[in-house]
Amino acid sequence: MPITPEQQAEIDALRASPRQTLRAVSEGMEEHLYKAYPVLDHGFVRVIDYMGDDAAICQAARVSYGKGTKSVQNDEGLIRYLMRHWHSTPFEMCELKLHVKLPVFVARQWIRHRTANVNEYSARYSILDREFYIPQPEQLAAQSVINNQGRGEALTGAEAERVLEILKGDAARSYDHYEEMISDEGKQGLARELARMNLPANIYTQWYWKVDLHNLLHFLRLRADSHAQYEIRVYADEICKLVADWVPFAFKAFEDYRMGGAALSAGALDCVRRMLKGEEVTKENCGMSAREWRELEEVLEG
Amino acid sequence: MPITPEQQAEIDALRASPRQTLRAVSEGMEEHLYKAYPVLDHGFVRVIDYMGDDAAICQAARVSYGKGTKSVQNDEGLIRYLMRHWHSTPFEMCELKLHVKLPVFVARQWIRHRTANVNEYSARYSILDREFYIPQPEQLAAQSVINNQGRGEALTGAEAERVLEILKGDAARSYDHYEEMISDEGKQGLARELARMNLPANIYTQWYWKVDLHNLLHFLRLRADSHAQYEIRVYADEICKLVADWVPFAFKAFEDYRMGGAALSAGALDCVRRMLKGEEVTKENCGMSAREWRELEEVLEG
Amino acid sequence: MPITPEQQAEIDALRASPRQTLRAVSEGMEEHLYKAYPVLDHGFVRVIDYMGDDAAICQAARVSYGKGTKSVQNDEGLIRYLMRHWHSTPFEMCELKLHVKLPVFVARQWIRHRTANVNEYSARYSILDREFYIPQPEQLAAQSVINNQGRGEALTGAEAERVLEILKGDAARSYDHYEEMISDEGKQGLARELARMNLPANIYTQWYWKVDLHNLLHFLRLRADSHAQYEIRVYADEICKLVADWVPFAFKAFEDYRMGGAALSAGALDCVRRMLKGEEVTKENCGMSAREWRELEEVLEG
Amino acid sequence: MPITPEQQAEIDALRASPRQTLRAVSEGMEEHLYKAYPVLDHGFVRVIDYMGDDAAICQAARVSYGKGTKSVQNDEGLIRYLMRHWHSTPFEMCELKLHVKLPVFVARQWIRHRTANVNEYSARYSILDREFYIPQPEQLAAQSVINNQGRGEALTGAEAERVLEILKGDAARSYDHYEEMISDEGKQGLARELARMNLPANIYTQWYWKVDLHNLLHFLRLRADSHAQYEIRVYADEICKLVADWVPFAFKAFEDYRMGGAALSAGALDCVRRMLKGEEVTKENCGMSAREWRELEEVLEG
């Protein structure tokens, strides 16, 4: 259970007190504010605050005095133009602040995106909760035999059982020992900043993460991609839903020009042109490596 | 006149339409939203949007589920502690978006602060207005004889008149020529992206500028400082007033720990310790350069 | 003439004194160090320093103890893989430091790329030189009638002559006045930080600009592109030549996957798939806007 | 043992092959290149590459054509001036690339400094080594009773023994289980990207970390400080030694103006002024909180 009743009461209190503002408001995002959307077994994503909406992108692109909107239709066209031609600065004019609860090994991947602001729960100052990510059986995958950094089939039978037994047992024991070490009942009690080193990477942490829309979309392009590790992809997928409701035009353009599209190399583009002229292009005569040819085939088959 | 009646009408329209939100609201900042505060002869600063308030700084520092506020008193204490100990990330959780109209030579100083998002009015795409910064007589300063990059006394008499005559005349002529070159009446008309090169650095430009509170305070520390060029300092001073109303606790802590304080070097600190022990410390025995000694004297005299 | 004899002597002195180092050395780049490559009428690009080479990209990708190179062939394959799959961090491990002399209006475009380090010649502290960019006749282009921020045909005849006359005359006059205002012969002399405001945007400035290879390639993708303004594109083109000699594998991959390739939207990709199946896809049935259809046609025609 | 004989041989090979370069060379830093300086029980810091030296800071500040050095004495004065007046951009013109081996919980603190380039050893792609940080007995500290995020006295006797027993035992067991889970002998073998979640935060990781001198000094100011956690401070201390040999003038100025100095708040400065006028200032009449008064006392006592 990601949220305690006390935490839920705090969230409900926040949602019960609308106030007046003169700022841009996104009705779609107001629906999501503060709510905890579950991800994995104990994690969540919550929107804490946002700045701007689709119109704010146009307003900044036009450096306008008023709303910047001429018409809804114009706005969508402008946003698509900006996305298509990599004019990124107007998208930077929207900002999102999330509260995320996530396993430490996911947090370590996530933090590589440096163009964001982060405040993480401090294990020097506070005591971590006893919550660990234990994969669902269908996610207990074997090492991929094709891709050195991917997953293959799910483990089965006794092997799967043994893995779950290990993960659960080690998590429980390490946390028991963590508690024992920091306890000052009848003894000194180890400093928290030291005791935390005994905890495994599937323990949950949490942070406030704030990012502008341009950098958020870049994050989503890499992390909502099928090559991303499953445990971070589910967070990206959840955030995609929130962004779709927050800035629908921008998100639609992102889907069309980034997620659903493809980047062709000079060699791949040459192959496509030859194909369209009726030439039979093959692995042998394509002029690219076997791997690049396979990737092009996948793109063209869809 | 920085704002036309049409622009003022757009601003009034935006201020006439409050909406409901569940987000953090700063009453102090709502008062300022969209209004154009004049700076220099044709410039202004306008708040377009903001994210967060004093409580949001504490909420992020505590990674909390609810407001993060225990009491107003606690919040102020926490904010002062964070500022004093250079914990910058909670301040990054607030964000400000401004619309600024400013002379190009001021914009060129301003843009050196890279940790912000910017959308500038495009002189490739649009035609610039005929508006130039002409200093007030008391700002027509001579080159400083002490400081290689500062100002001395104001110019007087015929010299001051001649400078104003030059600045006004060259601005008018260069703009007339700009208009003539881009005009396509009876001729082709030079491309705007080329014609703009004839315009001097005191022409006004404008941009949307978005920055987090931590980086904004860093900007203000450098640009609201007495060593900053007057023409950028007046913008920083105006922004200080807005920040004081937006996040009063954070701004007060900033004034106490950054603006009103002083950074002592190891050598200067050693001098102060010797003085407090009753020793007579002089330029000769202070162990620092003449310049550093003078700077310490200024700090201690206040 | 971009370089005085005294400056050339300083450059020659630097090139005459090789020293020993244990660091990675790029023979291709050593050839270019310190030399001033002319751009436009008075500008230049000079390499002041560099860090890393192709092997250093691989070394970082492998987090290796030694050179990180297994074989030259492996290195090229790895670099192509990293580029194709947007693994940008190994490219960030190379760094380039340039000295650039450029017109102010070009500098204003350039500085929008914020992920770089910059030290610009200070017109508060120093006096600017009397050097202005005056376009070659074939670059005196009219405003484009298709593209709001582009150029059309070159101006001809009397119109072209008049434009040159204006640009030269206004530059000369504004500089004469600049000199007159700052002169302290028999008068106070206006502060430099004020006098500079009278100078037009085609005056030359100069800066040291330092950037990592990943961000440099991003800059080159946007600025060596045919849609970039000519006056910044010639700088990007010159830098491309330097990068090609510095990190040949990385530059080749950049050409194949970024410059020479194309990003297809979901809609464009769908059109290509339909075409390859033999369907006749037209402007009418393509499912995209007229503009997007035209852009796709251009990509497929090459 | 942080380095295997094979790794040492690779390092020796790199140090045995000096080459010629025209770039700026720091003799002090050449001595350190590639060598592994041990930190903690299995960690190290190694310099992989550097760009620039003290003269390069001055060269950039002066935007010069040649070395930028007028005299060694002038250079030191300029560097001190730049440091004292927070002119940070010339320091950004030097760059350092390190290879660091460090426990994961230290890496998690370190990565909060976002203005750096990082390539970390991938536990999705590769298998981690069996190396864990086990503190020395004198570092097995109790939780501080004054400071919520600090350490107190070292644990003693049976409690210390028990903690070491836990840390060693849990590390060994979790690694045995990690190996068992990924093994594909007679079974499928769990994907590495999943198996790693069982490993505790004291396991060692390694990365290439590249940063400019300005941001490096900011990192060192925070992490070589007495309030930083011991396990990151020892890395910062080791890096300080390297920087002192690389850019001696800059490091000396850093020690004088940042590390050895003190930032006084407006209130603290007021107290110092009153003291120097002979007034007896006390906790009661100082006008600051008890905590701030104690901090001022510590500064003034030295």
Side-chain angles (χ1 to χ4, degrees), chain C residues 195-212:
Chain C
R196 61 171 165 170
M197 80 171 77
N198 200 55
L199 295 167
N202 59 343
I203 195 165
Y204 277 86
T205 183
Q206 45 184 297
W207 61 32
Y208 271 54
W209 189 67
K210 176 170 149 287
V211 68
D212 68 62

Side-chain angles (χ1 to χ4, degrees), chain B residues 36-283:
Chain B
Y37 291 98
V39 186
L40 299 179
D41 48 356
H42 300 287
F44 60 71
V45 171
R46 297 172 61 213
V47 179
I48 298 300
D49 208 341
Y50 68 89
M51 173 187 277
D53 56 4
D54 275 329
I57 298 167
C58 301
Q59 184 194 35
R62 295 180 181 126
V63 194
S64 67
Y65 283 79
K67 269 197 162 176
T69 312
K70 295 179 182 169
S71 73
V72 169
Q73 205 182 341
N74 270 344
D75 272 13
E76 179 163 20
L78 175 56
I79 286 173
R80 292 180 70 80
Y81 173 87
L82 296 169
M83 183 73 75
R84 202 159 68 241
H85 291 278
W86 306 88
H87 290 285
S88 53
T89 54
F91 296 101
E92 296 173 7
M93 289 288 151
C94 292
E95 191 91 12
L96 184 63
K97 195 196 295 182
L98 299 174
H99 179 190
V100 187
K101 189 171 161 193
L102 71 179
V104 163
F105 72 94
V106 175
R108 298 237 296 135
Q109 282 196 335
W110 194 307
I111 201 81
R112 291 189 201 162
H113 298 264
R114 289 156 299 170
T115 42
N117 309 115
V118 185
N119 276 274
E120 187 174 353
Y121 188 83
S122 169
R124 291 184 73 189
Y125 188 90
S126 308
I127 299 172
L128 290 170
D129 290 330
R130 184 194 284 269
E131 287 180 318
F132 296 87
Y133 168 60
I134 305 295
Q136 292 295 305
E138 66 269 23
Q139 289 305 330
L140 271 190
Q143 180 74 19
S144 166
V145 288
I146 320 168
N147 184 337
N148 275 328
Q149 57 177 7
R151 296 185 187 184
E153 298 291 304
L155 301 185
T156 54
E159 185 177 357
E161 277 174 42
R162 173 66 182 145
V163 164
L164 285 178
E165 186 185 292
I166 287 175
L167 292 176
K168 288 178 187 169
D170 284 3
R173 188 185 303 101
S174 71
Y175 195 86
D176 288 344
H177 284 155
Y178 170 68
E179 280 191 317
E180 181 187 334
M181 290 191 287
I182 60 179
S183 164
D184 58 0
E185 288 183 36
K187 56 191 183 72
Q188 293 176 275
L190 186 66
R192 287 165 203 157
E193 68 178 29
L194 285 169
R196 61 171 164 169
M197 80 173 75
N198 200 54
L199 295 168
N202 58 342
I203 195 165
Y204 276 86
T205 183
Q206 45 184 296
W207 61 32
Y208 271 53
W209 189 68
K210 176 170 148 289
V211 68
D212 68 61
L213 178 57
H214 167 67
N215 281 292
L216 176 59
L217 293 177
H218 184 69
F219 172 86
L220 295 176
R221 180 157 70 106
L222 294 176
R223 301 304 178 179
D225 184 89
S226 62
H227 295 89
Q229 182 165 351
Y230 167 80
E231 281 78 18
I232 196 167
R233 202 167 67 231
V234 286
Y235 284 90
D237 288 344
E238 198 62 39
I239 296 172
C240 278
K241 292 183 213 160
L242 299 168
V243 177
D245 286 344
W246 173 29
V247 282
F249 290 158
F251 190 75
K252 182 66 170 56
F254 168 70
E255 286 191 309
D256 286 355
Y257 297 119
R258 300 286 185 274
M259 293 303 276
L264 299 186
S265 70
L269 191 54
D270 181 59
C271 289
V272 169
R273 287 170 186 159
R274 288 160 60 196
M275 288 172 188
L276 289 174
K277 282 180 188 148
E279 189 180 334
E280 181 155 2
V281 183
T282 65
K283 187 176 165 180

Side-chain angles (χ1 to χ4, degrees), chain A residues 2-3 7 10-11 14-27 30-31 33-34 44 46 48-53 56 59-68 89-97 99 101 116-122 206-210 212 215, chain B residues 2-3 7 10-11 14-27 30-31 33-34 44 46 48-53 56 59-68 89-97 99 101 116-122 206-210 212 215:
Chain A
I3 294 281
Q7 289 159 356
E10 291 194 75
I11 292 170
L14 285 171
R15 285 199 58 83
S17 317
R19 296 178 65 181
Q20 285 211 324
T21 188
L22 292 168
R23 293 172 290 170
V25 171
S26 163
E27 295 299 349
E30 292 284 332
E31 272 309 301
L33 269 170
Y34 307 122
F44 60 71
R46 298 172 61 214
I48 298 298
D49 208 340
Y50 68 90
M51 174 188 277
D53 57 5
Q59 183 194 38
R62 295 178 181 128
V63 193
S64 67
Y65 284 78
K67 267 196 165 179
T89 54
F91 297 101
E92 296 173 7
M93 288 288 150
C94 293
E95 191 91 13
L96 184 63
K97 194 197 295 183
H99 179 191
K101 189 173 162 192
N117 309 115
V118 185
N119 276 274
E120 186 173 354
Y121 188 84
S122 169
Q206 45 184 295
W207 61 31
Y208 271 54
W209 189 67
K210 176 169 147 289
D212 67 63
N215 281 293
Chain B
I3 294 282
Q7 289 159 357
E10 292 194 75
I11 292 169
L14 285 171
R15 285 200 56 84
S17 317
R19 295 177 66 180
Q20 284 211 325
T21 187
L22 292 167
R23 292 172 291 170
V25 171
S26 162
E27 296 298 350
E30 292 284 333
E31 272 309 301
L33 268 169
Y34 307 122
F44 60 71
R46 297 172 61 213
I48 298 300
D49 208 341
Y50 68 89
M51 173 187 277
D53 56 4
Q59 184 194 35
R62 295 180 181 126
V63 194
S64 67
Y65 283 79
K67 269 197 162 176
T89 54
F91 296 101
E92 296 173 7
M93 289 288 151
C94 292
E95 191 91 12
L96 184 63
K97 195 196 295 182
H99 179 190
K101 189 171 161 193
N117 309 115
V118 185
N119 276 274
E120 187 174 353
Y121 188 83
S122 169
Q206 45 184 296
W207 61 32
Y208 271 53
W209 189 68
K210 176 170 148 289
D212 68 61
N215 281 292

Side-chain angles (χ1 to χ4, degrees), chain A residues 107-119:
Chain A
R108 298 237 296 135
Q109 282 197 334
W110 194 309
I111 201 80
R112 291 188 202 163
H113 298 265
R114 288 156 299 169
T115 43
N117 309 115
V118 185
N119 276 274

